Amino acid sequence: DAGVTQSPTHLIKTRGQHVTLRCSPISGHKSVSWYQQVLGQGPQFIFQYYEKEERGRGNFPDRFSARQFPNYSSELNVNALLLGDSALYLCASKIRGENMNTEAFFGQGTRLTVV
Amino acid sequence: AQSVTQLGSHVSVSEGALVLLRCNYSSSVPPYLFWYVQYPNQGLQLLLKYTTGATLVKGINGFEAEFKKSETSFHLTKPSAHMSDAAEYFCAVSSSGGSNYKLTFGKGTLLTVNP
């Protein structure tokens, strides 16, 4: 069975550009969350989507946005990229979104480098 | 607000020695607690979790952790380290209510296993 898949695995962008990261959850999972992991730090929560609705938002600027599609896949968009946006972006999927006692499965991440 | 403190950003042990990775949490409501492992250039893999019930939790790869409410701790242990245990370990907290849609991670502990 396929796990959580993220694309692309790596990309390099220039300051000021826009980027779209994609995530496909495990089949049957309806919740997708996004985390940012800066080098040397733990992951920081950005968004959670469940049943195509935003259920939670972390402390990130409005340059960050996301959406979930009818097939439960998700996109994370970042506008006006800054050097500080360079990080590993992780996607996590769960069967349901309302209880954290259900396991979150993480993808391998997208490594974004802003130059 | 919830938070996690991992004591020791780097722990080094010899192969066969006891592994002890420390985690203290802060939560105003009963917490759910998790340990994740991250290998280089990989996503996060769940080692074990505490939600309710037995305070000693056994996970994969011989790891276990004990929830101690009085000490607000959830330390991770393994009796005998193996070379393959070398990785970064993250403790995370969520809750049974309120911000139950996200994980709050510590900064991580890098485990080195020496032959």
Side-chain angles (χ1 to χ4, degrees):
Chain A
D1 288 340
V4 179
T5 57
Q6 294 186 242
S7 62
T9 55
H10 297 82
L11 74 165
I12 300 174
K13 291 287 189 177
T14 304
R15 279 177 296 175
Q17 285 189 316
H18 164 270
V19 69
T20 298
L21 311 181
R22 295 177 175 83
C23 172
S24 293
I26 293 171
S27 178
H29 285 200
K30 298 182 178 180
S31 169
V32 170
S33 297
W34 287 94
Y35 290 80
Q36 180 197 64
Q37 186 179 14
V38 174
L39 196 62
Q41 300 291 319
Q44 295 287 319
F45 172 77
I46 310 176
F47 288 110
Q48 189 212 30
Y49 278 77
Y50 177 51
E51 289 284 16
K52 292 154 281 184
E53 292 185 3
E54 181 184 303
R55 300 301 180 100
R57 173 185 285 256
N59 187 25
F60 280 80
D62 292 343
R63 298 185 296 107
F64 288 77
S65 63
R67 56 179 175 169
Q68 187 175 34
F69 298 99
N71 66 353
Y72 302 107
S73 67
S74 177
E75 284 183 353
L76 175 69
N77 295 283
V78 187
N79 293 322
L81 285 166
L82 303 174
L83 295 179
D85 296 330
S86 296
L88 180 67
Y89 288 85
L90 295 165
C91 173
S93 81
K94 292 169 55 188
I95 289 177
R96 300 184 305 274
E98 70 276 16
N99 285 315
M100 276 311 300
N101 60 350
T102 55
E103 181 177 349
F105 293 83
F106 283 81
Q108 291 194 329
T110 294
R111 173 72 63 186
L112 171 65
T113 302
V114 182
V115 298
Chain B
Q2 297 170 313
S3 65
V4 171
T5 301
Q6 291 185 240
L7 299 175
S9 59
H10 187 196
V11 170
S12 182
V13 301
S14 298
E15 191 173 19
L18 171 71
V19 175
L20 171 60
L21 305 182
R22 299 179 187 274
C23 172
N24 288 90
Y25 69 90
S26 173
S27 177
S28 59
V29 296
Y32 294 157
L33 295 160
F34 305 80
W35 276 99
Y36 281 86
V37 61
Q38 186 176 37
Y39 297 100
N41 301 312
Q42 298 288 317
L44 302 174
Q45 181 183 10
L46 181 68
L47 280 176
L48 49 79
K49 66 179 181 181
Y50 168 80
T51 54
T52 58
T55 56
L56 182 63
V57 180
K58 295 186 183 298
I60 62 171
N61 302 336
F63 285 94
E64 63 182 35
E66 186 172 9
F67 170 61
K68 292 186 177 181
K69 183 178 179 180
S70 61
E71 299 177 8
T72 61
S73 69
F74 191 56
H75 301 329
L76 182 70
T77 60
K78 182 174 180 177
S80 177
H82 192 272
M83 297 295 289
S84 61
D85 295 327
E88 187 142 30
Y89 292 79
F90 293 95
C91 181
V93 64
S94 184
S95 72
S96 56
S99 303
N100 63 352
Y101 49 82
K102 67 176 182 179
L103 291 165
T104 299
F105 287 87
K107 291 186 177 181
T109 298
L110 180 64
L111 176 65
T112 303
V113 181
N114 304 307

